Amino acid sequence: ARAHIGVTGLAVMGSNIARNFARHGHTVALHNRSIAKTDALLAAHGDEGDFVRTETIEEFVGALQRPRRVLIMVKAGEPTDAVIEELAAAMDEGDIIIDGGNALFTDTIRREKSLRERGLHFVGAGISGGEEGALNGPAIMPGGPKESYEVLGPLLESIAAQVDGTPCCTHIGPDGSGHFVKMVHNGIEYADMQLIGEAYHLLRDALGFDAEQIADVFTGWNQGELESYLVEITAEVLNQVDAKTGKPLVDVILDAAEQKGTGRWTVKAALDLGVPVTGIAEAVFARALSGSRGQRRAAVGLASGRLADKPADAEQFTKDIERALYASKVVAYAQGFDQIAAASTEYDWNLRPGDLATIWRGGCIIRARFLNRIKDAYDTNAQLPSLILDPFFQEAIENAIDSWRRVVATAVQLGIPVPAFASSLAYYDGLRAERLPAALTQAQRDYFGAHTYERIDMPGKYHTLWSGDRSEISAD
Ligand code: 6PG
């Protein structure tokens, strides 16, 4: 047996990761349910490194050095369980199975537990960066037993993206933590994309810019604090001309956004943890609204009640949008990191937010200059109660706040939907409010359900006898 690692599931992501390992000098055993894919990979790229072609699972497992390391790159859900079962039956104590798909973290917790009981190591690894990243350097978020990272880490780190000599891969924490963190990464990806979409919508409909002009705006933004992969590709996408019609491609694409599910999972998990991830939730719901085609068709032309003229100073308003985008992005990340912190406590994962900011700086879809700032924030204070409270981000929001309000107010007055901009601003205003209307909510709950309330001036729980003489009693 000579292979350092095996990859099973050779669709594009799996093939590219296998090639990435081989290009870094690792001997890679290849396996796929149908041998045709394996042969296609070998025919096209077999000369890129040292591959071992295998047909059966037994042959595949037999080709690996011990402890055996197998990366599964198949569809999340049942196909993953089926492959794990086959592998586990052929493997020995101490061998490592890595699931590199977008698995639901609770599935990963379950699988890790069951394989641990059988003496095997199970590593749920989030891998981000799409096809290109898989080949040239993704961000990798492996969770699972710490011991397995000792033999697996160097291999994964060698193929990951690097930023300032640091690999975008580190051991995240136990069992499902790697996939949880990848899920939140995707949630942030949704929020970021929605915010970019709202900025585009405003430039198009409030300022009347065409796609090419908007592309130029994004190109400009990509030279500043907003520099990021998503802003960069936005400019490229907006510059793309449709060969069939000669129009900008973005103008002929159907405006109904799809989703494979990780954003929705993020929101569901956040609801269970009781963490407000409003930016991510608005992004998920905005995709759902865009896809409600029957309702939308029926509603086109409903009253708009427009209250304002288009902004007169296009340059100033463009600057405002840039700042609103930045501030809203800070909120989306702050909320995502809150969710990770809450899960860390709930599942006893001991996650280190600074590590995540570090490995998200390169390789992944949300990579951005901005992540360096987040890393700095957590390096300075690992216990930061909210990213918004870091001095750098406080100041950034202070500089953006008037623009942020102008953008949301203008959008509302013009009837342009900006759910993520608006909810991020509302979140920020809620967070900084000295007194929220929640006191009233508590009183109402106490009124109809005797749910009790706390007082600002005395410890303990209290109840007012609403249907009696309305005196207050202690409810402790
Ligand atoms: C990544 C991406 C990747 C994928 C998303 C798309 O990190 O490389 O997030 O995981 O492109 O799953 O998700 P939707 O289909 O839900 O938009």
Side-chain angles (χ1 to χ4, degrees):
R2 60 190 182 85
H4 302 122
I5 187 150
V7 179
T8 179
L10 299 175
V12 189
M13 286 294 286
S15 294
N16 284 2
I17 292 255
R19 290 170 62 196
N20 190 348
F21 277 121
R23 288 174 175 192
H24 282 89
H26 308 295
T27 300
V28 188
L30 299 175
H31 177 265
N32 194 68
R33 217 156 35 110
S34 70
I35 190 74
K37 278 223 171 93
T38 314
D39 285 335
L41 169 59
L42 285 169
H45 307 287
D47 58 351
E48 288 179 8
D50 190 14
F51 295 106
V52 183
R53 177 187 185 275
T54 73
E55 293 197 30
T56 64
I57 281 278
E58 292 70 29
E59 204 189 332
F60 178 55
V61 169
L64 296 161
Q65 288 181 3
R66 290 165 192 258
R68 301 180 179 105
R69 291 164 289 200
V70 170
L71 174 62
I72 304 178
M73 294 298 294
V74 302
K75 248 172 104 77
E78 272 168 36
T80 304
D81 279 314
V83 179
I84 290 174
E85 203 33 62
E86 266 189 275
L87 281 169
M91 287 174 125
D92 297 311
E93 204 166 319
D95 287 347
I96 306 169
I97 298 177
I98 309 127
D99 175 11
N102 270 332
L104 183 60
F105 76 100
T106 44
D107 284 344
T108 305
I109 292 177
R110 166 178 61 77
R111 289 168 181 149
E112 196 276 330
K113 182 166 181 285
S114 112
L115 288 174
R116 187 173 359 113
E117 284 160 4
R118 294 163 73 173
L120 295 168
H121 294 290
F122 185 69
V123 173
I127 302 181
S128 178
E131 296 173 16
E132 202 268 342
L135 184 61
N136 297 318
I140 311 179
M141 293 148 252
K146 183 105 187 135
E147 316 89 85
S148 58
Y149 195 78
E150 277 156 33
V151 270
L152 185 62
L155 216 69
L156 297 180
E157 289 181 13
S158 73
I159 64 153
Q162 314 272 324
V163 174
D164 304 335
T166 306
C168 296
C169 171
T170 192
H171 181 245
I172 301 293
D175 54 72
S177 61
H179 276 137
F180 185 91
V181 160
K182 172 59 169 53
M183 177 190 76
V184 176
H185 162 285
N186 280 29
I188 295 174
E189 170 186 308
Y190 273 55
D192 215 345
M193 290 169 72
Q194 175 64 22
L195 291 167
I196 289 173
E198 291 176 16
Y200 156 70
H201 198 170
L202 287 163
L203 292 165
R204 192 189 70 191
D205 289 0
L207 295 180
F209 288 2
D210 63 22
E212 204 185 324
Q213 286 172 299
I214 303 173
D216 289 344
V217 171
F218 276 95
T219 303
W221 289 352
N222 202 41
Q223 330 278 280
E225 282 291 334
L226 285 172
E227 183 190 325
S228 60
Y229 172 72
L230 284 170
V231 167
E232 181 191 331
I233 67 162
T234 301
E236 269 191 56
V237 165
L238 289 166
N239 268 323
Q240 180 73 16
V241 174
D242 173 43
K244 294 192 187 68
T245 57
K247 291 182 184 165
L249 179 66
V250 70
D251 291 343
V252 297
I253 292 180
L254 190 76
D255 60 344
E258 296 180 2
Q259 48 187 317
K260 290 211 292 281
T262 45
R264 189 166 51 227
W265 290 348
T266 312
V267 178
K268 282 188 182 172
L271 290 172
D272 288 337
L273 291 164
V275 179
V277 291
T278 59
I280 301 170
E282 290 296 355
V284 173
F285 289 138
R287 287 197 193 188
L289 173 65
S290 77
S292 307
R293 290 168 52 196
Q295 284 183 327
R296 285 182 58 200
R297 249 195 315 273
V300 165
L302 290 185
S304 79
R306 200 172 145 135
L307 294 182
D309 290 328
K310 292 187 171 169
D313 187 340
E315 202 179 319
Q316 171 63 44
F317 195 62
T318 303
K319 190 91 218 142
D320 283 344
I321 299 172
E322 181 182 12
R323 292 194 181 124
L325 179 53
Y326 189 85
S328 304
K329 207 171 139 149
V330 175
V331 168
Y333 277 77
Q335 295 178 337
F337 275 92
D338 283 352
Q339 180 172 1
I340 287 168
S344 182
T345 306
E346 171 77 18
Y347 296 100
D348 242 334
W349 281 337
N350 239 322
L351 304 182
R352 299 162 309 273
D355 280 9
L356 304 180
T358 305
I359 63 169
W360 287 347
R361 291 182 305 165
C364 63
I365 303 295
I366 65 171
R367 62 184 181 262
R369 186 204 280 199
F370 182 75
L371 263 319
N372 276 312
R373 303 295 192 184
I374 300 182
K375 176 185 183 305
D376 291 347
Y378 285 114
D379 282 351
T380 312
N381 179 4
Q383 309 305 325
L384 202 58
S386 164
L387 201 56
I388 291 172
L389 295 167
D390 169 71
F392 175 85
F393 288 117
Q394 270 188 50
E395 199 188 315
I397 292 182
E398 209 173 295
N399 291 332
I401 188 74
D402 290 354
S403 292
W404 201 5
R405 291 196 193 290
R406 264 199 300 274
V407 167
V408 172
T410 307
V412 169
Q413 293 196 321
L414 290 174
I416 298 171
V418 286
F421 277 150
S423 77
S424 305
L425 179 55
Y427 173 85
Y428 173 73
D429 282 333
L431 195 64
R432 62 174 197 84
E434 222 175 292
R435 218 156 142 74
L436 288 169
L440 179 59
T441 309
Q442 283 296 79
Q444 290 164 327
R445 293 178 66 248
D446 189 56
Y447 186 105
F448 60 65
H451 294 302
T452 78
Y453 50 85
E454 291 178 80
R455 297 181 54 101
I456 57 171
D457 51 359
M458 290 188 275
K461 300 234 181 234
Y462 297 90
H463 169 57
T464 290
L465 300 167
W466 295 103
S467 43
D469 66 359
R470 302 215 163 175
S471 60
E472 184 179 75
I473 59 169
S474 164
D476 283 323

